[in-house]
Amino acid sequence: MQKIILLFLFIFIFHQAQAQQFKVQGLVTTNEPAQKATVSLLELKRTTITDSAGKFTLDKVKAGIYYLKVSMLGYRSLTVKLDLKKDTTLAQLKLESLDENLNEVVVTGTQKEVNRLESPVPVEIYTAKFFKKNPTPSIFDALQNVNGVRPQLNCNICNTGDIHINGLEGPYTMVLIDGMPIVSSLSTVYGLSGIPNALVERIEVVKGPASSLYGSEAVGGLINIITKKVQNAALFSADAMATGYGEYNADLGFKLNLNKKVSFLTGLNYFKFGNRVDHNHDGFTDVTLQDRISIFQKWNIDCKKNRLFSLAGRYLYEDRWGGEMNWNKSFRGGDQRYGESIYTRRFELIGNYQLPIEEKIFLAFSLTDHDQDSRYGTTSYIAQQKIAFGQLTWDKKIGINDLLIGTALRYTYYDDNTPATASKDLVNSPEKIFLPGIFIQDEIKVAKTHSILAGLRYDYNSVHGNIFTPRLAYKWSVNEKNIIRLNAGTGFRVVNIFTEDHAALTGAREVVISNELKPERTYNVNLNFLKKIYLKNGSFVGLDLSAFYTYFNNRIIGDFDTNPNEIRYDNLDGHAVSKGLTANVDVAFSSGLKITAGLTYQDVGFVEKGIKQQQILTEKFSGTWAISYKINQLNLGIDYTGNVYSPMRLPLLGDLDPRRPYSPTWSIQNIQLVYDGFKNIEIYGGVKNLLNFTPNKGTPFIIARANDPFDKNVKFNAGGQVIPTADNPYGLTFDPSYVYAPNQGIRGFLGVRLTIK
């Protein structure tokens, strides 16, 4: 009887506890208190609205486990798991904007901090979060998911590459780090792969003319890599990843506050790939072996009146090689085993200082030192490049005029062991170029919804003389949801074949420069339309449409076709044109599903003697996508990313070459799962190249004459043409330049991230 009474007493107490009612309250914010946000307890179908201070209260709620959902028009819904045992006050619930990138502050278009929607120059923003959807060991690889931007491999053996924007090759793209032009010329080819993702706050991309503000190299567009601000960085972070191919990448970062005014951020990146892979069975490594370390440090010093002073430095060392599977360093530079071995040492220093005066005057500077020791078979390429850059800018508003006035000086020292730095009597003569310049930019608000930006830059090149690069931009804000921008300008580019075109060094082709090369001149125009659409269900759609046109005079073309044993460089006797359309679509559903997709059509070719020809290694159509969804109940995120490219013309060695003249339509697709259920830890993994696409499929071979890389058994006639023989029926020489896509097939990856705020 006593046991029965105790049982009933227990049931009664338990029932009373369950019946007890509690109060749930909290604060909802965006960047400010969120008024009229909807707060719901899903299981109870109870709903309330936040007040003008962003606060809410739900009372008379029984104990239990619930999911509390917060939603507001224009913002991503937030769901929180709630185990209610007593009155609960939730910490600040911050909603993320569905169009967060549109409201970002950008600096690249005008060299001023401005809201992206207010910029007269269209700027695309890609945050570190975007690149985590497809984790990669370097910026070069990460850019494969940016619409209209394509990392292009230029060699099957050493896997060097460049970045194409809207079909224009790498030398037409200026790459900046924190606004400083320190990745150029020699390092455009060899330095991009050494920039680790862990350093990146965001990447800003400008497609089209930018020469009037950034100088003569920004012809096709520019990529500005914004590194993390010291004050926003985590106290400690670590990210380690491995792939089934045997690639290992590790990023470490930590922040230290020396005192109230001085703090610094240190980053360390190490990448290792030492697995010799030959899945296409040609006797050569499919993927270059690499051993790379990068050390980065950024200092932030708080000055009076919040004036800016930051200083950053980076050191990079890389040892990479590709070649015959049985090559080792004892064969370096010899003709017994073919290998391409590149040692790179690079140092960078970047600074930005706001002068201690009332006017907004900034002094920015950078120093780079790039040393490279390379062997391409028996060809030796040893080069050193030093660049010093300084720029003084004055930011001044006078009435309706928003002025930026500046002066810049760039000094470039370049020396190598090729004819590029040899005088007529073959005496070594390093290239030393002074490039002083001045520029002025004025943004005028002619009406509430109309603004005009006019700019003019004058540079004096110590070799080529005067350079004028004007610029004009117009922005019409039709309303808050529709913006039209028109940009036009000119560009000027001086070419160094050996630092910009890897094909000039590798393989057995002879480099022939027919005449003294003249600088290229371009004329650019870009029309952009941006539209925001807010749907009734709380979802958001962003459309970004552009049309572009670039006309070239004196375009320098590498002729691979006239003589299969040569690459002939000369100014085009005619003109070249790059034109096309791009479209970016961002869809963010209130449920948390987000889709980012892009499509580019481009027609890039040159006209000589009335005959038009498509530019080599340039696709007509390309597309990219990233689809992400978070299952909050499982703390699991899913990312599906990919790209697709239409056929592009490939470099053949003659009429008998059996390889196809155009690539097929090809696609690289990836999937990733991210679990963040642990405190401060994310575990991620997935599969890259789901379709297992490699460029060797459908073609008899990728590297021409891989069995005879030194052309010891190739027969030539008196005119230097290859004679087909039984051993060489197609009349080919050794050449690794037939490349358009990575050789890595399907592979898994697994990684872990640790972040301590």
mmCIF file of all heavy atoms in Angstrom, residues 552-579:
data_model
loop_
_atom_site.group_PDB
_atom_site.id
_atom_site.type_symbol
_atom_site.label_atom_id
_atom_site.label_comp_id
_atom_site.label_asym_id
_atom_site.label_seq_id
_atom_site.Cartn_x
_atom_site.Cartn_y
_atom_site.Cartn_z
ATOM 1 N N PHE A 552 41.027 46.084 -78.678
ATOM 2 C CA PHE A 552 42.484 46.132 -78.539
ATOM 3 C C PHE A 552 43.150 46.674 -79.799
ATOM 4 O O PHE A 552 42.828 46.246 -80.913
ATOM 5 C CB PHE A 552 43.052 44.727 -78.307
ATOM 6 C CG PHE A 552 42.737 44.122 -76.979
ATOM 7 C CD1 PHE A 552 41.529 43.473 -76.773
ATOM 8 C CD2 PHE A 552 43.638 44.186 -75.928
ATOM 9 C CE1 PHE A 552 41.233 42.900 -75.556
ATOM 10 C CE2 PHE A 552 43.350 43.611 -74.705
ATOM 11 C CZ PHE A 552 42.141 42.969 -74.511
ATOM 12 N N ASN A 553 44.096 47.567 -79.588
ATOM 13 C CA ASN A 553 45.090 47.905 -80.615
ATOM 14 C C ASN A 553 46.426 47.298 -80.194
ATOM 15 O O ASN A 553 46.733 47.231 -79.004
ATOM 16 C CB ASN A 553 45.253 49.414 -80.763
ATOM 17 C CG ASN A 553 44.133 50.031 -81.574
ATOM 18 O OD1 ASN A 553 43.536 49.372 -82.425
ATOM 19 N ND2 ASN A 553 43.831 51.298 -81.307
ATOM 20 N N ASN A 554 47.210 46.858 -81.156
ATOM 21 C CA ASN A 554 48.545 46.287 -80.889
ATOM 22 C C ASN A 554 48.480 45.052 -79.996
ATOM 23 O O ASN A 554 49.424 44.782 -79.246
ATOM 24 C CB ASN A 554 49.477 47.323 -80.246
ATOM 25 C CG ASN A 554 49.788 48.477 -81.163
ATOM 26 O OD1 ASN A 554 49.833 48.309 -82.381
ATOM 27 N ND2 ASN A 554 49.984 49.647 -80.592
ATOM 28 N N ARG A 555 47.397 44.308 -80.045
ATOM 29 C CA ARG A 555 47.291 43.109 -79.217
ATOM 30 C C ARG A 555 48.447 42.163 -79.548
ATOM 31 O O ARG A 555 48.756 41.908 -80.716
ATOM 32 C CB ARG A 555 45.953 42.393 -79.481
ATOM 33 C CG ARG A 555 45.763 41.073 -78.722
ATOM 34 C CD ARG A 555 45.467 41.308 -77.270
ATOM 35 N NE ARG A 555 45.424 40.063 -76.527
ATOM 36 C CZ ARG A 555 44.321 39.335 -76.339
ATOM 37 N NH1 ARG A 555 43.174 39.730 -76.856
ATOM 38 N NH2 ARG A 555 44.363 38.241 -75.632
ATOM 39 N N ILE A 556 49.121 41.666 -78.513
ATOM 40 C CA ILE A 556 50.252 40.758 -78.708
ATOM 41 C C ILE A 556 49.737 39.326 -78.650
ATOM 42 O O ILE A 556 49.123 38.907 -77.670
ATOM 43 C CB ILE A 556 51.337 41.005 -77.653
ATOM 44 C CG1 ILE A 556 51.909 42.417 -77.850
ATOM 45 C CG2 ILE A 556 52.440 39.958 -77.740
ATOM 46 C CD1 ILE A 556 52.862 42.839 -76.774
ATOM 47 N N ILE A 557 49.968 38.591 -79.724
ATOM 48 C CA ILE A 557 49.431 37.245 -79.879
ATOM 49 C C ILE A 557 50.579 36.244 -79.979
ATOM 50 O O ILE A 557 51.566 36.473 -80.671
ATOM 51 C CB ILE A 557 48.565 37.142 -81.155
ATOM 52 C CG1 ILE A 557 47.390 38.122 -81.078
ATOM 53 C CG2 ILE A 557 48.080 35.717 -81.363
ATOM 54 C CD1 ILE A 557 46.349 37.765 -80.057
ATOM 55 N N GLY A 558 50.441 35.135 -79.262
ATOM 56 C CA GLY A 558 51.362 34.019 -79.431
ATOM 57 C C GLY A 558 50.854 33.104 -80.527
ATOM 58 O O GLY A 558 49.783 32.507 -80.402
ATOM 59 N N ASP A 559 51.580 33.009 -81.620
ATOM 60 C CA ASP A 559 51.175 32.198 -82.775
ATOM 61 C C ASP A 559 51.739 30.785 -82.608
ATOM 62 O O ASP A 559 52.938 30.556 -82.752
ATOM 63 C CB ASP A 559 51.693 32.857 -84.059
ATOM 64 C CG ASP A 559 51.331 32.074 -85.310
ATOM 65 O OD1 ASP A 559 50.639 31.045 -85.195
ATOM 66 O OD2 ASP A 559 51.752 32.486 -86.410
ATOM 67 N N PHE A 560 50.855 29.822 -82.307
ATOM 68 C CA PHE A 560 51.245 28.426 -82.142
ATOM 69 C C PHE A 560 51.053 27.632 -83.433
ATOM 70 O O PHE A 560 51.428 26.458 -83.500
ATOM 71 C CB PHE A 560 50.399 27.765 -81.045
ATOM 72 C CG PHE A 560 50.698 28.243 -79.650
ATOM 73 C CD1 PHE A 560 50.233 29.467 -79.202
ATOM 74 C CD2 PHE A 560 51.435 27.462 -78.769
ATOM 75 C CE1 PHE A 560 50.490 29.914 -77.914
ATOM 76 C CE2 PHE A 560 51.697 27.895 -77.483
ATOM 77 C CZ PHE A 560 51.228 29.124 -77.065
ATOM 78 N N ASP A 561 50.418 28.231 -84.449
ATOM 79 C CA ASP A 561 49.938 27.460 -85.592
ATOM 80 C C ASP A 561 50.839 27.524 -86.821
ATOM 81 O O ASP A 561 50.954 26.541 -87.552
ATOM 82 C CB ASP A 561 48.530 27.944 -85.985
ATOM 83 C CG ASP A 561 47.545 27.830 -84.829
ATOM 84 O OD1 ASP A 561 47.637 26.834 -84.086
ATOM 85 O OD2 ASP A 561 46.702 28.730 -84.668
ATOM 86 N N THR A 562 51.476 28.681 -87.083
ATOM 87 C CA THR A 562 52.232 28.835 -88.325
ATOM 88 C C THR A 562 53.355 27.812 -88.448
ATOM 89 O O THR A 562 53.534 27.177 -89.487
ATOM 90 C CB THR A 562 52.817 30.261 -88.416
ATOM 91 O OG1 THR A 562 51.734 31.208 -88.353
ATOM 92 C CG2 THR A 562 53.590 30.443 -89.706
ATOM 93 N N ASN A 563 54.121 27.641 -87.383
ATOM 94 C CA ASN A 563 55.216 26.673 -87.360
ATOM 95 C C ASN A 563 55.121 25.884 -86.060
ATOM 96 O O ASN A 563 55.228 26.466 -84.985
ATOM 97 C CB ASN A 563 56.567 27.383 -87.450
ATOM 98 C CG ASN A 563 57.730 26.417 -87.601
ATOM 99 O OD1 ASN A 563 57.674 25.281 -87.121
ATOM 100 N ND2 ASN A 563 58.794 26.865 -88.259
ATOM 101 N N PRO A 564 54.878 24.571 -86.119
ATOM 102 C CA PRO A 564 54.692 23.786 -84.894
ATOM 103 C C PRO A 564 55.928 23.735 -84.003
ATOM 104 O O PRO A 564 55.829 23.328 -82.847
ATOM 105 C CB PRO A 564 54.332 22.390 -85.416
ATOM 106 C CG PRO A 564 54.869 22.346 -86.806
ATOM 107 C CD PRO A 564 54.752 23.742 -87.333
ATOM 108 N N ASN A 565 57.075 24.149 -84.507
ATOM 109 C CA ASN A 565 58.291 24.145 -83.697
ATOM 110 C C ASN A 565 58.550 25.492 -83.025
ATOM 111 O O ASN A 565 59.537 25.642 -82.308
ATOM 112 C CB ASN A 565 59.508 23.798 -84.574
ATOM 113 C CG ASN A 565 59.362 22.447 -85.225
ATOM 114 O OD1 ASN A 565 59.007 21.484 -84.566
ATOM 115 N ND2 ASN A 565 59.607 22.387 -86.526
ATOM 116 N N GLU A 566 57.668 26.475 -83.302
ATOM 117 C CA GLU A 566 57.915 27.825 -82.805
ATOM 118 C C GLU A 566 56.682 28.390 -82.107
ATOM 119 O O GLU A 566 55.553 27.962 -82.352
ATOM 120 C CB GLU A 566 58.282 28.759 -83.969
ATOM 121 C CG GLU A 566 59.565 28.402 -84.695
ATOM 122 C CD GLU A 566 59.810 29.337 -85.871
ATOM 123 O OE1 GLU A 566 58.843 30.012 -86.318
ATOM 124 O OE2 GLU A 566 60.958 29.396 -86.343
ATOM 125 N N ILE A 567 56.938 29.366 -81.228
ATOM 126 C CA ILE A 567 55.898 30.280 -80.764
ATOM 127 C C ILE A 567 56.338 31.662 -81.229
ATOM 128 O O ILE A 567 57.365 32.173 -80.783
ATOM 129 C CB ILE A 567 55.748 30.270 -79.232
ATOM 130 C CG1 ILE A 567 55.570 28.857 -78.701
ATOM 131 C CG2 ILE A 567 54.567 31.136 -78.820
ATOM 132 C CD1 ILE A 567 55.529 28.790 -77.191
ATOM 133 N N ARG A 568 55.567 32.239 -82.137
ATOM 134 C CA ARG A 568 55.946 33.525 -82.718
ATOM 135 C C ARG A 568 55.104 34.626 -82.054
ATOM 136 O O ARG A 568 53.878 34.594 -82.088
ATOM 137 C CB ARG A 568 55.720 33.531 -84.229
ATOM 138 C CG ARG A 568 56.443 32.405 -84.961
ATOM 139 C CD ARG A 568 56.302 32.562 -86.464
ATOM 140 N NE ARG A 568 57.044 33.712 -86.962
ATOM 141 C CZ ARG A 568 58.315 33.671 -87.343
ATOM 142 N NH1 ARG A 568 58.990 32.530 -87.283
ATOM 143 N NH2 ARG A 568 58.912 34.750 -87.788
ATOM 144 N N TYR A 569 55.793 35.591 -81.453
ATOM 145 C CA TYR A 569 55.111 36.702 -80.790
ATOM 146 C C TYR A 569 55.259 37.964 -81.631
ATOM 147 O O TYR A 569 56.360 38.324 -82.063
ATOM 148 C CB TYR A 569 55.701 36.946 -79.395
ATOM 149 C CG TYR A 569 55.407 35.848 -78.409
ATOM 150 C CD1 TYR A 569 56.353 34.863 -78.136
ATOM 151 C CD2 TYR A 569 54.186 35.789 -77.747
ATOM 152 C CE1 TYR A 569 56.090 33.849 -77.231
ATOM 153 C CE2 TYR A 569 53.912 34.789 -76.833
ATOM 154 C CZ TYR A 569 54.868 33.819 -76.581
ATOM 155 O OH TYR A 569 54.603 32.819 -75.682
ATOM 156 N N ASP A 570 54.129 38.644 -81.849
ATOM 157 C CA ASP A 570 54.158 39.892 -82.609
ATOM 158 C C ASP A 570 52.884 40.663 -82.297
ATOM 159 O O ASP A 570 51.880 40.092 -81.845
ATOM 160 C CB ASP A 570 54.248 39.613 -84.111
ATOM 161 C CG ASP A 570 54.780 40.814 -84.895
ATOM 162 O OD1 ASP A 570 54.991 41.879 -84.265
ATOM 163 O OD2 ASP A 570 54.965 40.692 -86.116
ATOM 164 N N ASN A 571 52.931 41.982 -82.554
ATOM 165 C CA ASN A 571 51.713 42.779 -82.454
ATOM 166 C C ASN A 571 50.771 42.391 -83.578
ATOM 167 O O ASN A 571 51.192 42.190 -84.724
ATOM 168 C CB ASN A 571 52.028 44.271 -82.544
ATOM 169 C CG ASN A 571 52.761 44.785 -81.322
ATOM 170 O OD1 ASN A 571 53.948 45.078 -81.369
ATOM 171 N ND2 ASN A 571 52.054 44.893 -80.207
ATOM 172 N N LEU A 572 49.523 42.290 -83.248
ATOM 173 C CA LEU A 572 48.520 41.884 -84.218
ATOM 174 C C LEU A 572 48.376 42.942 -85.309
ATOM 175 O O LEU A 572 48.267 44.147 -85.021
ATOM 176 C CB LEU A 572 47.174 41.685 -83.496
ATOM 177 C CG LEU A 572 46.012 41.132 -84.319
ATOM 178 C CD1 LEU A 572 46.316 39.702 -84.747
ATOM 179 C CD2 LEU A 572 44.729 41.178 -83.482
ATOM 180 N N ASP A 573 48.396 42.490 -86.561
ATOM 181 C CA ASP A 573 48.159 43.379 -87.696
ATOM 182 C C ASP A 573 46.652 43.434 -87.926
ATOM 183 O O ASP A 573 46.112 42.880 -88.874
ATOM 184 C CB ASP A 573 48.889 42.862 -88.932
ATOM 185 C CG ASP A 573 48.732 43.818 -90.116
ATOM 186 O OD1 ASP A 573 48.312 44.970 -89.889
ATOM 187 O OD2 ASP A 573 49.002 43.394 -91.253
ATOM 188 N N GLY A 574 45.989 44.102 -87.022
ATOM 189 C CA GLY A 574 44.532 44.158 -87.043
ATOM 190 C C GLY A 574 44.050 44.593 -85.675
ATOM 191 O O GLY A 574 44.650 45.442 -85.029
ATOM 192 N N HIS A 575 42.987 43.976 -85.201
ATOM 193 C CA HIS A 575 42.480 44.306 -83.878
ATOM 194 C C HIS A 575 41.918 43.059 -83.214
ATOM 195 O O HIS A 575 41.681 42.034 -83.867
ATOM 196 C CB HIS A 575 41.401 45.393 -83.956
ATOM 197 C CG HIS A 575 40.139 44.945 -84.650
ATOM 198 N ND1 HIS A 575 39.978 45.008 -86.012
ATOM 199 C CD2 HIS A 575 38.983 44.414 -84.157
ATOM 200 C CE1 HIS A 575 38.787 44.539 -86.347
ATOM 201 N NE2 HIS A 575 38.161 44.178 -85.239
ATOM 202 N N ALA A 576 41.731 43.164 -81.913
ATOM 203 C CA ALA A 576 41.132 42.072 -81.150
ATOM 204 C C ALA A 576 39.964 42.625 -80.347
ATOM 205 O O ALA A 576 39.951 43.802 -79.969
ATOM 206 C CB ALA A 576 42.170 41.434 -80.223
ATOM 207 N N VAL A 577 38.979 41.772 -80.096
ATOM 208 C CA VAL A 577 37.782 42.195 -79.381
ATOM 209 C C VAL A 577 37.385 41.127 -78.370
ATOM 210 O O VAL A 577 37.425 39.931 -78.656
ATOM 211 C CB VAL A 577 36.604 42.446 -80.352
ATOM 212 C CG1 VAL A 577 35.306 42.670 -79.578
ATOM 213 C CG2 VAL A 577 36.890 43.643 -81.244
ATOM 214 N N SER A 578 37.022 41.584 -77.178
ATOM 215 C CA SER A 578 36.416 40.717 -76.165
ATOM 216 C C SER A 578 35.064 41.324 -75.810
ATOM 217 O O SER A 578 34.998 42.477 -75.365
ATOM 218 C CB SER A 578 37.311 40.631 -74.922
ATOM 219 O OG SER A 578 36.616 40.011 -73.844
ATOM 220 N N LYS A 579 34.007 40.567 -76.015
ATOM 221 C CA LYS A 579 32.667 41.084 -75.735
ATOM 222 C C LYS A 579 31.804 39.947 -75.187
ATOM 223 O O LYS A 579 32.080 38.765 -75.419
ATOM 224 C CB LYS A 579 32.034 41.680 -76.985
ATOM 225 C CG LYS A 579 31.926 40.705 -78.148
ATOM 226 C CD LYS A 579 31.415 41.385 -79.409
ATOM 227 C CE LYS A 579 31.368 40.409 -80.591
ATOM 228 N NZ LYS A 579 30.903 41.065 -81.842
#
